Amino acid sequence: MKQKIFLFLTLYSFTLLSQQKYSKEFNFLNDNDLFISPTQDRYYTNGVLLTYRYLSQKTSENIEKKTFEIQLGHHMYTPFKATVNQYMRS
């Protein structure tokens, strides 16, 4: 009986949430290759992105909606060979 109630509430909540219309979206992405493997640090090291997307109003008869996106972030890369030669001056 509890499983039937849980299934009903889960499916009912999906139908309620699917009817809402959102025109704006804010996204935060934290990406790191360490999340996959702590032993190997390959070419791509990490990145952080903040993204804001929104839908425009209807502007012409041919195009109903346009999506605009503003993104701020950085990507860091590790060199293929991470050695540094240091020369001492006399």
Side-chain angles (χ1 to χ4, degrees), residues 3 8 11 18 20-21 27-29 32 36 44 49 51 53 56 60 62 65 70 74 79 81-82 85-86 90:
Q3 292 175 347
F8 172 74
L11 293 176
S18 65
Q20 296 178 358
K21 294 181 181 179
N27 187 13
F28 173 74
L29 176 68
N32 196 328
I36 297 172
Y44 178 74
L49 297 172
T51 306
R53 289 186 193 108
S56 69
S60 67
N62 295 335
K65 294 181 183 178
I70 299 169
H74 78 89
K81 187 176 181 184
N85 294 330
Q86 293 184 357
S90 54

Side-chain angles (χ1 to χ4, degrees), residues 46-58:
N46 72 5
V48 176
L49 297 172
L50 294 170
T51 306
Y52 176 72
R53 289 186 193 108
Y54 62 94
L55 291 174
S56 69
Q57 302 295 327
K58 186 175 178 181

Side-chain angles (χ1 to χ4, degrees), residues 19-34:
Q19 299 302 315
Q20 296 178 358
K21 294 181 181 179
Y22 296 105
S23 62
K24 299 173 184 165
E25 176 186 2
F26 180 74
N27 187 13
F28 173 74
L29 176 68
N30 182 15
D31 191 19
N32 196 328
D33 65 347
L34 183 63

Side-chain angles (χ1 to χ4, degrees), residues 2 4-5 10 14 19 24 34-35 44 60 68 78 84:
K2 289 182 182 180
K4 290 181 183 180
I5 292 173
T10 304
F14 285 136
Q19 299 302 315
K24 299 173 184 165
L34 183 63
F35 297 152
Y44 178 74
S60 67
F68 294 97
T78 305
V84 177

Side-chain angles (χ1 to χ4, degrees), residues 34-48:
L34 183 63
F35 297 152
I36 297 172
S37 173
T39 60
Q40 295 180 354
D41 189 17
R42 296 294 182 184
Y43 181 63
Y44 178 74
T45 300
N46 72 5
V48 176

